[in-house]
mmCIF file of all heavy atoms in Angstrom:
data_model
loop_
_atom_site.group_PDB
_atom_site.id
_atom_site.type_symbol
_atom_site.label_atom_id
_atom_site.label_comp_id
_atom_site.label_asym_id
_atom_site.label_seq_id
_atom_site.Cartn_x
_atom_site.Cartn_y
_atom_site.Cartn_z
ATOM 1 N N ALA A 372 26.413 20.872 20.922
ATOM 2 C CA ALA A 372 24.970 21.038 21.271
ATOM 3 C C ALA A 372 24.581 20.267 22.514
ATOM 4 O O ALA A 372 25.240 19.348 22.958
ATOM 5 C CB ALA A 372 24.167 20.509 20.062
ATOM 6 N N ASP A 373 23.447 20.699 23.047
ATOM 7 C CA ASP A 373 22.808 19.912 24.101
ATOM 8 C C ASP A 373 21.795 18.935 23.487
ATOM 9 O O ASP A 373 21.643 17.836 23.976
ATOM 10 C CB ASP A 373 22.081 20.841 25.111
ATOM 11 C CG ASP A 373 23.071 21.764 25.851
ATOM 12 O OD1 ASP A 373 23.983 21.200 26.470
ATOM 13 O OD2 ASP A 373 22.963 22.972 25.662
ATOM 14 N N VAL A 374 21.110 19.421 22.441
ATOM 15 C CA VAL A 374 20.036 18.596 21.798
ATOM 16 C C VAL A 374 20.210 18.647 20.332
ATOM 17 O O VAL A 374 20.425 19.736 19.732
ATOM 18 C CB VAL A 374 18.643 19.053 22.208
ATOM 19 C CG1 VAL A 374 17.537 18.271 21.503
ATOM 20 C CG2 VAL A 374 18.432 19.126 23.669
ATOM 21 N N LEU A 375 20.076 17.513 19.643
ATOM 22 C CA LEU A 375 20.028 17.462 18.189
ATOM 23 C C LEU A 375 18.547 17.206 17.754
ATOM 24 O O LEU A 375 17.988 16.245 18.196
ATOM 25 C CB LEU A 375 20.938 16.349 17.631
ATOM 26 C CG LEU A 375 20.814 16.171 16.119
ATOM 27 C CD1 LEU A 375 21.814 17.118 15.392
ATOM 28 C CD2 LEU A 375 21.074 14.744 15.669
ATOM 29 N N LEU A 376 18.069 18.074 16.897
ATOM 30 C CA LEU A 376 16.677 17.936 16.486
ATOM 31 C C LEU A 376 16.570 17.143 15.163
ATOM 32 O O LEU A 376 17.194 17.517 14.160
ATOM 33 C CB LEU A 376 16.106 19.349 16.223
ATOM 34 C CG LEU A 376 15.900 20.239 17.445
ATOM 35 C CD1 LEU A 376 15.929 21.706 17.065
ATOM 36 C CD2 LEU A 376 14.677 19.906 18.182
ATOM 37 N N VAL A 377 15.801 16.097 15.172
ATOM 38 C CA VAL A 377 15.550 15.346 13.920
ATOM 39 C C VAL A 377 14.053 15.039 13.805
ATOM 40 O O VAL A 377 13.596 13.900 14.107
ATOM 41 C CB VAL A 377 16.353 14.013 13.871
ATOM 42 C CG1 VAL A 377 16.394 13.460 12.442
ATOM 43 C CG2 VAL A 377 17.780 14.181 14.361
ATOM 44 N N PRO A 378 13.245 16.057 13.452
ATOM 45 C CA PRO A 378 11.806 15.866 13.452
ATOM 46 C C PRO A 378 11.213 15.321 12.184
ATOM 47 O O PRO A 378 10.210 15.842 11.650
ATOM 48 C CB PRO A 378 11.303 17.284 13.760
ATOM 49 C CG PRO A 378 12.316 18.167 13.156
ATOM 50 C CD PRO A 378 13.648 17.430 13.125
ATOM 51 N N SER A 379 11.864 14.310 11.578
ATOM 52 C CA SER A 379 11.568 13.863 10.213
ATOM 53 C C SER A 379 10.137 13.400 10.023
ATOM 54 O O SER A 379 9.583 12.707 10.896
ATOM 55 C CB SER A 379 12.529 12.740 9.848
ATOM 56 O OG SER A 379 13.863 13.130 9.996
ATOM 57 N N ARG A 380 9.616 13.636 8.802
ATOM 58 C CA ARG A 380 8.336 13.005 8.450
ATOM 59 C C ARG A 380 8.569 11.500 8.178
ATOM 60 O O ARG A 380 7.735 10.670 8.550
ATOM 61 C CB ARG A 380 7.796 13.646 7.202
ATOM 62 C CG ARG A 380 7.174 15.027 7.478
ATOM 63 C CD ARG A 380 6.293 15.497 6.322
ATOM 64 N NE ARG A 380 5.513 16.677 6.787
ATOM 65 C CZ ARG A 380 5.997 17.913 6.873
ATOM 66 N NH1 ARG A 380 7.296 18.140 6.581
ATOM 67 N NH2 ARG A 380 5.221 18.858 7.314
ATOM 68 N N PHE A 381 9.655 11.174 7.536
ATOM 69 C CA PHE A 381 10.050 9.741 7.462
ATOM 70 C C PHE A 381 11.601 9.716 7.555
ATOM 71 O O PHE A 381 12.277 10.669 7.182
ATOM 72 C CB PHE A 381 9.554 9.095 6.189
ATOM 73 C CG PHE A 381 10.142 9.566 4.903
ATOM 74 C CD1 PHE A 381 11.237 8.942 4.369
ATOM 75 C CD2 PHE A 381 9.604 10.628 4.245
ATOM 76 C CE1 PHE A 381 11.808 9.352 3.149
ATOM 77 C CE2 PHE A 381 10.129 11.098 3.031
ATOM 78 C CZ PHE A 381 11.273 10.442 2.479
ATOM 79 N N GLU A 382 12.124 8.630 8.034
ATOM 80 C CA GLU A 382 13.552 8.561 8.206
ATOM 81 C C GLU A 382 14.016 7.135 8.099
ATOM 82 O O GLU A 382 13.826 6.317 9.040
ATOM 83 C CB GLU A 382 13.948 9.105 9.572
ATOM 84 C CG GLU A 382 15.454 9.401 9.719
ATOM 85 C CD GLU A 382 15.973 10.428 8.672
ATOM 86 O OE1 GLU A 382 15.644 11.623 8.732
ATOM 87 O OE2 GLU A 382 16.615 9.900 7.738
ATOM 88 N N PRO A 383 14.572 6.690 6.931
ATOM 89 C CA PRO A 383 14.949 5.322 6.799
ATOM 90 C C PRO A 383 15.817 4.788 7.922
ATOM 91 O O PRO A 383 15.529 3.715 8.503
ATOM 92 C CB PRO A 383 15.648 5.346 5.470
ATOM 93 C CG PRO A 383 15.088 6.482 4.673
ATOM 94 C CD PRO A 383 14.775 7.505 5.748
ATOM 95 N N CYS A 384 16.839 5.472 8.231
ATOM 96 C CA CYS A 384 17.670 5.090 9.448
ATOM 97 C C CYS A 384 17.960 6.358 10.211
ATOM 98 O O CYS A 384 17.580 6.555 11.335
ATOM 99 C CB CYS A 384 18.942 4.375 9.076
ATOM 100 S SG CYS A 384 19.932 4.031 10.568
ATOM 101 N N GLY A 385 18.616 7.280 9.515
ATOM 102 C CA GLY A 385 19.107 8.467 10.219
ATOM 103 C C GLY A 385 20.442 8.107 10.870
ATOM 104 O O GLY A 385 20.568 7.137 11.546
ATOM 105 N N LEU A 386 21.408 8.968 10.579
ATOM 106 C CA LEU A 386 22.728 8.751 11.207
ATOM 107 C C LEU A 386 23.038 9.782 12.283
ATOM 108 O O LEU A 386 23.674 9.469 13.260
ATOM 109 C CB LEU A 386 23.803 8.788 10.081
ATOM 110 C CG LEU A 386 23.803 7.591 9.153
ATOM 111 C CD1 LEU A 386 24.771 7.869 7.990
ATOM 112 C CD2 LEU A 386 24.100 6.309 9.815
ATOM 113 N N THR A 387 22.521 11.013 12.033
ATOM 114 C CA THR A 387 22.954 12.090 12.945
ATOM 115 C C THR A 387 22.540 11.842 14.365
ATOM 116 O O THR A 387 23.297 12.144 15.318
ATOM 117 C CB THR A 387 22.466 13.476 12.462
ATOM 118 O OG1 THR A 387 21.050 13.377 12.311
ATOM 119 C CG2 THR A 387 23.123 13.906 11.155
ATOM 120 N N GLN A 388 21.356 11.178 14.540
ATOM 121 C CA GLN A 388 20.985 10.879 15.927
ATOM 122 C C GLN A 388 21.890 9.909 16.583
ATOM 123 O O GLN A 388 22.137 9.952 17.830
ATOM 124 C CB GLN A 388 19.468 10.441 16.035
ATOM 125 C CG GLN A 388 19.225 8.953 15.833
ATOM 126 C CD GLN A 388 19.221 8.567 14.322
ATOM 127 O OE1 GLN A 388 19.602 9.353 13.452
ATOM 128 N NE2 GLN A 388 18.769 7.374 14.052
ATOM 129 N N LEU A 389 22.442 8.995 15.775
ATOM 130 C CA LEU A 389 23.375 8.005 16.330
ATOM 131 C C LEU A 389 24.683 8.706 16.715
ATOM 132 O O LEU A 389 25.308 8.435 17.734
ATOM 133 C CB LEU A 389 23.672 6.883 15.292
ATOM 134 C CG LEU A 389 22.444 6.125 14.841
ATOM 135 C CD1 LEU A 389 22.866 5.063 13.854
ATOM 136 C CD2 LEU A 389 21.717 5.469 15.978
ATOM 137 N N TYR A 390 25.161 9.666 15.867
ATOM 138 C CA TYR A 390 26.348 10.415 16.170
ATOM 139 C C TYR A 390 26.105 11.185 17.466
ATOM 140 O O TYR A 390 26.954 11.235 18.350
ATOM 141 C CB TYR A 390 26.702 11.438 15.062
ATOM 142 C CG TYR A 390 26.866 10.867 13.671
ATOM 143 C CD1 TYR A 390 26.680 11.610 12.556
ATOM 144 C CD2 TYR A 390 27.233 9.518 13.516
ATOM 145 C CE1 TYR A 390 26.836 11.099 11.302
ATOM 146 C CE2 TYR A 390 27.403 8.982 12.243
ATOM 147 C CZ TYR A 390 27.213 9.775 11.142
ATOM 148 O OH TYR A 390 27.345 9.286 9.885
ATOM 149 N N ALA A 391 24.970 11.841 17.502
ATOM 150 C CA ALA A 391 24.590 12.725 18.690
ATOM 151 C C ALA A 391 24.702 11.882 20.007
ATOM 152 O O ALA A 391 25.262 12.305 20.996
ATOM 153 C CB ALA A 391 23.236 13.318 18.546
ATOM 154 N N LEU A 392 24.147 10.693 19.983
ATOM 155 C CA LEU A 392 24.138 9.868 21.152
ATOM 156 C C LEU A 392 25.591 9.717 21.688
ATOM 157 O O LEU A 392 25.874 9.831 22.852
ATOM 158 C CB LEU A 392 23.543 8.456 20.849
ATOM 159 C CG LEU A 392 22.059 8.384 20.632
ATOM 160 C CD1 LEU A 392 21.651 7.057 20.025
ATOM 161 C CD2 LEU A 392 21.300 8.682 21.943
ATOM 162 N N ARG A 393 26.503 9.402 20.754
ATOM 163 C CA ARG A 393 27.893 9.157 21.204
ATOM 164 C C ARG A 393 28.539 10.401 21.802
ATOM 165 O O ARG A 393 29.450 10.322 22.578
ATOM 166 C CB ARG A 393 28.658 8.645 19.957
ATOM 167 C CG ARG A 393 30.129 8.303 20.200
ATOM 168 C CD ARG A 393 30.375 7.464 21.470
ATOM 169 N NE ARG A 393 29.848 6.134 21.466
ATOM 170 C CZ ARG A 393 30.513 4.975 21.349
ATOM 171 N NH1 ARG A 393 31.843 5.052 21.107
ATOM 172 N NH2 ARG A 393 29.903 3.840 21.387
ATOM 173 N N TYR A 394 28.047 11.587 21.334
ATOM 174 C CA TYR A 394 28.607 12.828 21.852
ATOM 175 C C TYR A 394 27.834 13.386 23.080
ATOM 176 O O TYR A 394 28.029 14.490 23.511
ATOM 177 C CB TYR A 394 28.588 13.908 20.745
ATOM 178 C CG TYR A 394 29.619 13.723 19.688
ATOM 179 C CD1 TYR A 394 29.476 12.686 18.711
ATOM 180 C CD2 TYR A 394 30.810 14.465 19.602
ATOM 181 C CE1 TYR A 394 30.472 12.519 17.721
ATOM 182 C CE2 TYR A 394 31.772 14.253 18.615
ATOM 183 C CZ TYR A 394 31.579 13.250 17.706
ATOM 184 O OH TYR A 394 32.549 13.077 16.739
ATOM 185 N N GLY A 395 26.943 12.579 23.615
ATOM 186 C CA GLY A 395 26.168 13.006 24.765
ATOM 187 C C GLY A 395 25.276 14.217 24.471
ATOM 188 O O GLY A 395 24.938 14.972 25.337
ATOM 189 N N THR A 396 24.856 14.292 23.217
ATOM 190 C CA THR A 396 23.991 15.315 22.694
ATOM 191 C C THR A 396 22.628 14.590 22.503
ATOM 192 O O THR A 396 22.546 13.665 21.702
ATOM 193 C CB THR A 396 24.482 15.877 21.392
ATOM 194 O OG1 THR A 396 25.758 16.503 21.663
ATOM 195 C CG2 THR A 396 23.525 16.905 20.808
ATOM 196 N N LEU A 397 21.591 15.007 23.290
ATOM 197 C CA LEU A 397 20.418 14.191 23.337
ATOM 198 C C LEU A 397 19.600 14.398 22.054
ATOM 199 O O LEU A 397 19.229 15.536 21.766
ATOM 200 C CB LEU A 397 19.603 14.446 24.577
ATOM 201 C CG LEU A 397 20.417 14.243 25.851
ATOM 202 C CD1 LEU A 397 19.503 14.377 27.116
ATOM 203 C CD2 LEU A 397 21.189 12.959 25.934
ATOM 204 N N PRO A 398 19.286 13.338 21.320
ATOM 205 C CA PRO A 398 18.474 13.494 20.138
ATOM 206 C C PRO A 398 16.988 13.764 20.491
ATOM 207 O O PRO A 398 16.465 13.070 21.398
ATOM 208 C CB PRO A 398 18.596 12.136 19.374
ATOM 209 C CG PRO A 398 19.612 11.356 20.136
ATOM 210 C CD PRO A 398 19.698 11.933 21.519
ATOM 211 N N LEU A 399 16.369 14.681 19.782
ATOM 212 C CA LEU A 399 14.961 14.923 19.883
ATOM 213 C C LEU A 399 14.362 14.519 18.524
ATOM 214 O O LEU A 399 14.636 15.184 17.528
ATOM 215 C CB LEU A 399 14.632 16.368 20.270
ATOM 216 C CG LEU A 399 13.213 16.699 20.614
ATOM 217 C CD1 LEU A 399 13.169 18.028 21.439
ATOM 218 C CD2 LEU A 399 12.299 16.805 19.445
ATOM 219 N N VAL A 400 13.617 13.425 18.480
ATOM 220 C CA VAL A 400 13.251 12.834 17.202
ATOM 221 C C VAL A 400 11.776 12.481 17.130
ATOM 222 O O VAL A 400 11.120 12.360 18.142
ATOM 223 C CB VAL A 400 14.085 11.527 16.958
ATOM 224 C CG1 VAL A 400 15.570 11.761 17.111
ATOM 225 C CG2 VAL A 400 13.648 10.390 17.932
#
Side-chain angles (χ1 to χ4, degrees):
D373 297 301
V374 178
L375 175 86
L376 293 155
V377 196
S379 304
R380 287 196 165 77
F381 68 93
E382 194 58 74
C384 176
L386 291 172
T387 54
Q388 86 280 11
L389 302 180
Y390 305 154
L392 288 168
R393 181 47 65 105
Y394 286 75
T396 299
L397 305 187
L399 188 160
V400 305

